[in-house]
Amino acid sequence: MSDVGISPGAVALEGGVSRDYLLHHRVCPTVITEDGSLVVAVAPDALVPEALDDLGLAYRRPIVSHITPREEVERLIARLTSGSDAALTVGHADQDDESLVADVRDVANSAPVAAYVNFLVGEAVRAGASDIHLEATRAGLLVRFRLDGILLPAPAAPSGLETAILSRLKLMADLDIAERRRPQDGRIRVRLADRELDVRVSTVPTLHGESVVLRVLDRGGRPVGLDTLGMPAAILEQVRSLANKPHGMVLVTGPTGSGKTTTLYAALRLRDASAEKIITIEDPIEYQLPGITQVPVHTQAGVTFAAALRSILRQDPDVIMVGEMRDGETASLAVQAAMTGHLVFSTLHTNDALGAIPRLVDLGVPPYLVAATVDAVMAQRLVRRVCSDCAAPVDSAAYDRHAAIPSSIRAAPLIRGTGCPACRHTGYSGRLGVFELVVLSDAMQDAVARSAPGHELRELAERTGWLTMWDDAWSKVAAGLTTAEEVLRVVAA
């Protein structure tokens, strides 16, 4: 687009827009058109759309952009801020955009913006969403909920208020609303009826603006019981026994969002908190456990997993839960705790249960110490549960060409949700776990101590009647709890 007709003398600086701000973003307001729009000269490498959004708020006008050579934009900025034009008002040029930020704050606190944000959070809680995603795109603000592990459309943002909505969320999380070029993290405490929510806020800059993700944590919620997670009877009985051991280490593995912390909470509830000192280190604390000392990780203050673990070992604990072993120091301290008479629960990010053994060695724990301290490793995933309101039989012939589906499953009567208002037309409502548990036998401990290869560990596990996650998942399909599609999506063979 050409820059014909640009007239810098026809517009004044408004709302605290400074020369430094214009030079940094490589934009310059030039003229107000007959229909009231503000024409802005934009260099090819300008920082848009945030600059255009800010100018629209500062001038309270719709923006029309003109792509202009960068040298010309700089010349226009020089003319606009030189004081030579009668229409100029440059008294705020050195206020470091404070007035502009104030304008953004005023709009962010306006009634329509506040009403939408409150409605959005409330709707997410009512739907049971774990996360709210607000993503700036070329077409506007894309809003989605993560429900049962899947992203689904959420109530759309009102047109024209997209930037103000993101600014309001940043204000509520005590973040810098003027900073849009680097990631930020914060928290919002929300009270909704009789529930107290802790909302973690994460922002990152993207091509078309900022992406904001809200993680919704129900602080007033209660951890579930071990018998409600969906464990097979044999695994459930073994986990109960492991949770009551006097010392050692029990690990739970799986990707982010697979329910590891929920499982550990359920295991901790089997201990007698009135007779034992139980301490957890978490990032973040997802549920408040009565009678248990819970320590939140605060990296900026120096409270890392390793630093907190080192300190709580001097607190005379009986049982310790480490939210995640992310580094060698944390892993070594956890092993030390297990060696000195404590029961340690923790998590690792591995694809299966046996993968935890080489992972600990990679973190610097000697194999003989892994063999001496790790009692068992459980791996888990979450699959969506078939909606009971719209469940219907499935023609088994639909799976005839799926070689990955066991023949016994293809021949069984299966069900699937057809979609209804109760499940938001997804066919699923809620989730349940699929599990595998490896309890280290004496033979396996010997093999771990001498760094035996993975296939040997697998053979030894199979001799104990090991039920793999793949096996457990298909048993839940046969029971009508989930679908073949969910297993193929979530669980690797």
Side-chain angles (χ1 to χ4, degrees):
M1 185 181 296
S2 67
D3 64 328
V4 177
I6 292 177
S7 175
V11 67
L13 288 177
E14 294 283 353
V17 178
S18 69
R19 179 176 183 275
D20 289 342
Y21 179 90
L22 297 177
L23 286 173
H24 176 76
H25 289 83
R26 297 182 285 283
V27 297
C28 183
T30 59
V31 67
I32 297 173
T33 63
E34 291 182 359
D35 66 0
S37 298
L38 176 68
V39 179
V40 178
V42 176
D45 59 346
L47 299 177
V48 292
E50 59 264 26
L52 299 184
D53 292 337
D54 288 345
L55 291 174
L57 288 171
Y59 284 84
R60 295 180 175 85
R61 296 179 182 276
I63 299 296
V64 177
S65 60
H66 273 269
I67 302 300
T68 307
R70 179 169 179 174
E71 296 78 8
E72 178 66 9
V73 172
E74 292 174 350
R75 184 183 66 80
L76 291 170
I77 294 172
R79 287 185 58 188
L80 182 61
T81 59
S82 65
S84 60
D85 297 299
L88 292 179
T89 54
V90 297
H92 300 294
D94 296 324
Q95 292 185 4
D96 196 27
D97 304 332
E98 290 181 4
S99 298
L100 178 60
V101 171
D103 283 345
V104 174
R105 184 178 287 108
D106 289 343
V107 177
N109 288 327
S110 65
V113 174
Y116 173 74
V117 169
N118 293 342
F119 170 73
L120 185 67
V121 174
E123 186 68 11
V125 173
R126 282 187 287 273
S130 60
D131 302 86
I132 306 171
H133 290 244
L134 301 99
E135 304 161 62
T137 70
R138 181 183 294 276
L141 193 64
L142 176 63
V143 186
R144 296 185 289 176
F145 291 156
R146 186 172 294 281
L147 189 61
D148 295 335
I150 302 294
L151 286 173
L152 298 172
S159 179
L161 295 180
E162 292 89 345
T163 301
I165 289 166
L166 298 184
S167 294
R168 177 167 182 79
L169 291 169
K170 291 169 71 174
L171 282 171
M172 293 172 68
D174 199 25
L175 303 179
D176 183 357
I177 62 173
E179 178 55 73
R180 298 178 178 176
R181 297 178 298 278
R182 63 178 178 84
Q184 299 186 72
D185 294 291
R187 292 192 179 186
I188 303 172
R189 185 71 55 81
V190 177
R191 184 171 292 280
L192 191 67
D194 59 343
R195 304 172 69 177
E196 187 177 351
L197 306 175
D198 190 11
V199 181
R200 289 195 297 170
V201 182
S202 171
T203 77
V204 294
T206 68
L207 176 63
H208 298 292
E210 285 184 294
S211 171
V212 178
V213 175
L214 313 179
R215 167 63 57 88
V216 182
L217 304 172
D218 189 351
R219 293 171 57 88
R222 293 184 177 274
V224 298
L226 200 64
D227 56 352
T228 66
L229 301 180
M231 292 181 188
I235 290 181
L236 178 60
E237 189 60 33
Q238 287 177 303
V239 172
R240 282 178 172 155
S241 176
L242 290 164
N244 284 293
K245 288 178 69 69
H247 54 77
M249 181 181 292
V250 178
L251 301 175
V252 180
T253 76
T256 300
S258 60
K260 300 186 297 295
T261 302
T262 299
T263 298
L264 291 181
Y265 278 151
L268 285 178
R269 293 184 68 198
L270 298 178
R271 306 293 301 204
D272 184 1
S274 65
E276 295 180 308
K277 179 76 168 184
I278 304 174
I279 306 180
T280 73
I281 309 168
E282 306 173 59
D283 183 23
I285 295 174
E286 296 189 17
Y287 299 109
Q288 295 182 15
L289 302 174
I292 293 177
T293 302
Q294 296 175 267
V295 179
V297 167
H298 195 311
T299 305
Q300 290 84 354
V303 185
T304 61
F305 277 110
L309 181 53
R310 188 182 299 106
S311 296
I312 68 172
L313 286 174
R314 297 191 289 271
Q315 291 279 309
D316 188 29
D318 297 293
V319 181
I320 300 169
M321 186 189 98
V322 183
E324 183 182 343
M325 289 197 289
R326 298 177 179 173
D327 54 70
E329 184 180 7
T330 304
S332 296
L333 288 168
V335 166
Q336 175 189 335
M339 287 284 290
T340 53
H342 307 88
L343 179 61
V344 179
F345 295 99
S346 192
T347 72
L348 282 171
H349 288 287
T350 63
N351 291 328
D352 56 24
L354 289 175
I357 304 301
R359 177 60 180 151
L360 282 175
V361 175
D362 289 343
L363 289 174
V365 180
Y368 74 91
L369 286 181
V370 175
T373 55
V374 176
D375 293 303
V377 184
M378 185 163 66
Q380 66 181 73
R381 299 287 190 280
L382 293 176
V383 294
R384 289 183 292 172
R385 188 187 293 267
V386 173
C387 175
S388 59
D389 288 355
C390 61
V394 179
D395 182 2
S396 59
Y399 298 120
D400 285 346
R401 296 184 179 180
H402 288 265
I405 300 177
S407 58
S408 60
I409 299 298
R410 293 201 298 269
L414 306 178
I415 65 170
R416 178 192 299 159
T418 58
C420 66
C423 62
R424 295 184 170 235
H425 302 283
T426 63
Y428 300 95
S429 180
R431 290 188 289 179
L432 75 160
V434 291
F435 303 88
E436 67 179 26
L437 177 67
V438 174
V439 178
L440 273 67
S441 62
D442 291 342
M444 289 190 70
Q445 289 176 334
D446 291 341
V448 170
R450 56 183 169 80
S451 302
H455 68 83
E456 182 178 341
L457 294 178
R458 187 176 186 89
E459 290 172 1
L460 290 170
E462 289 173 347
R463 291 179 192 173
T464 66
W466 177 36
L467 178 71
T468 69
M469 196 168 7
W470 185 249
D471 298 328
D472 183 35
W474 288 117
S475 70
K476 288 178 167 66
V477 173
L481 298 175
T482 189
T483 64
E485 290 83 359
E486 270 296 279
V487 172
L488 295 175
R489 181 183 70 86
V490 174
V491 184

